[in-house]
Amino acid sequence: MAKRWKNTLTSADVTPEEHYLNRRQIIAGLASIGLAGGAAIPALAAGDLKPDTWDTITSYNNFYEFGTDKTDPATYARALTTDPWSIQIDGLVERPGTYALGDILAKMTTEERIYRFRCVEAWSMVVPWNGFELADLLQMAGLKGDAKYVAFETLHRPEEMRGQNYPILEWPYVEGLRLDEAMHPLTIMATGIYGKPIPNQNGAPIRLVVPWKYGFKSIKSIVRITVTDTQPPTSWNKAGAREYGFYSNVNPQVDHPRWSQASERTIGGGLFAKRKPTLMMNGYEGDVGKLYAGMDLSKHF
Ligand SMILES: Nc1nc2c(c(=O)[nH]1)N[C@H]1C(S)=C(S)[C@@H](COP(=O)(O)O)O[C@H]1N2
Ligand SMILES: [Mo]
């Protein structure tokens, strides 16, 4: 698989972290496969991003399948069995089927992506993900000509996901992207953080990460991917269409009906950290702005 986006943030920007040393082994492994370093995508602002610590990233979570408090996922997600795991890929693809996660990973190129992560609730973190481009997985399945959208579904297993015994949201959690968003090289399927397997509370064993959209688009613990020709329903839009649109691109100029989106609270910054201004498309406008050329972003929020 070609590496089509160059990570401009390096380990020099990273908070020292013992787990993080594992990363070097991963990179070394990739080097032996012979990755090209092509940068078809504009460089992102380098040097100003410090990944949050492992503890911050894994102890303050939204994963309503395990409860609605920020600490519920870290407390209860250990009940989730993540092995064996498979993903059903169906709809408008040439090779539909149920793919074992191990078989998928054997074909994918895993790399590190240090991304800003902005929740619609106006808090943010910086996360050093490990994952592969969703485009590579979709190409593995083979897209049919009439493919226009990609739908995602989280596991539904109330015995292990205690929140699914309550009507907090309609289960299973579902999300969707337009095909060009799904194929964009910034869009990844993450299987790790800091070079370690992704913890259950962060969406083990595999979740979506779309860094220019509000966090709820980045659906966790995925068991099904369906390619469609119509815009798929999405969980938060079903819960409140006036508040949560299909696109949900981070946009400081379009407020949530109940709060401002102009700034954000940095979770790892400590109690007295100042809010920081929210960036258009979470700082990725140079990469993805053209996907929305000519669209009224206050209408397609
Ligand atoms: N299946 C599922 N995916 C989900 C959620 C969820 O409740 N269920 N929460 C979303 C929200 S609102 C956010 S902000 C991110 C949080 O990801 P993190 O816990 O890794 O920071 O996951 C998103 N993906
Ligand atoms: Mo969120």
Side-chain angles (χ1 to χ4, degrees):
M1 308 298 161
K3 181 175 177 179
R4 292 170 296 142
W5 178 80
K6 196 163 183 335
N7 200 354
T8 53
L9 306 161
T10 69
S11 55
D13 303 309
V14 172
T15 310
E17 183 73 53
E18 55 172 351
H19 316 297
Y20 198 62
L21 294 173
N22 296 337
R23 188 182 88 91
R24 299 181 193 287
Q25 290 155 17
I26 293 170
I27 301 289
L30 292 181
S32 67
I33 304 169
L35 279 180
I41 301 298
L44 307 183
D48 66 336
L49 280 198
K50 253 199 171 49
D52 281 287
T53 63
W54 173 268
D55 286 345
T56 298
I57 295 167
T58 61
S59 62
Y60 185 95
N61 301 97
N62 274 334
F63 199 167
Y64 278 16
E65 283 84 342
F66 297 103
T68 55
D69 286 349
K70 293 289 183 280
T71 54
D72 282 342
T75 307
Y76 299 115
R78 70 189 81 232
L80 180 64
T81 307
T82 58
D83 183 15
W85 195 272
S86 56
I87 302 181
Q88 182 183 340
I89 304 181
D90 57 10
L92 302 173
V93 292
E94 305 287 354
R95 290 171 288 281
T98 299
Y99 293 83
L101 180 57
D103 294 342
I104 291 175
L105 295 181
K107 295 202 182 86
M108 298 291 119
T109 300
T110 297
E111 56 182 289
E112 181 185 71
R113 297 288 177 90
I114 301 172
Y115 283 161
R116 295 179 197 85
F117 189 91
R118 169 62 157 82
C119 175
V120 73
E121 297 164 337
W123 53 263
S124 69
M125 297 186 191
V126 176
V127 184
W129 304 106
N130 310 98
F132 56 87
E133 292 181 8
L134 174 60
D136 289 340
L137 181 61
L138 294 174
Q139 270 156 12
M140 184 197 85
L143 292 167
K144 290 195 169 168
D146 43 354
K148 290 197 181 67
Y149 294 89
V150 183
F152 305 85
E153 203 174 295
T154 294
L155 177 72
H156 185 241
R157 190 184 288 160
E159 319 87 81
E160 293 184 356
M161 301 174 117
R162 67 203 312 265
Q164 287 182 335
N165 294 295
Y166 306 90
I168 308 167
L169 288 169
E170 219 179 280
W171 311 114
Y173 194 102
V174 290
E175 258 304 335
L177 296 171
R178 218 170 55 190
L179 186 63
D180 57 347
E181 299 175 323
M183 295 296 284
H184 194 280
L186 280 179
T187 304
I188 59 166
M189 297 289 280
T191 55
I193 295 172
Y194 273 113
K196 305 233 300 178
I198 192 167
N200 287 2
Q201 58 265 39
N202 293 88
I206 185 163
R207 60 94 60 86
L208 182 70
V209 179
V210 195
W212 71 94
K213 293 179 179 286
Y214 291 121
F216 66 83
K217 298 291 293 182
S218 292
I219 179 175
K220 294 174 168 180
S221 305
I222 294 169
V223 292
R224 187 175 182 189
I225 298 176
T226 307
V227 178
T228 68
D229 58 2
T230 49
Q231 185 177 302
T234 59
S235 280
W236 279 102
N237 182 255
K238 285 194 285 181
R242 218 175 54 83
E243 302 194 347
Y244 308 101
F246 175 79
Y247 284 95
S248 288
N249 294 319
V250 175
N251 189 338
Q253 288 149 29
V254 177
D255 287 337
H256 186 279
R258 290 182 280 131
W259 59 83
S260 167
Q261 295 291 23
S263 69
E264 63 204 48
R265 183 170 57 94
T266 54
I267 297 305
L271 211 47
F272 302 105
K274 270 207 252 154
R275 295 179 75 88
K276 66 176 188 190
T278 289
L279 302 172
M280 186 59 159
M281 299 186 187
N282 209 20
Y284 302 100
E285 188 182 13
D287 298 290
V288 297
K290 56 186 170 301
L291 301 184
Y292 310 103
M295 284 175 64
D296 179 348
L297 297 180
S298 62
K299 202 183 277 168
H300 299 282
F301 62 89

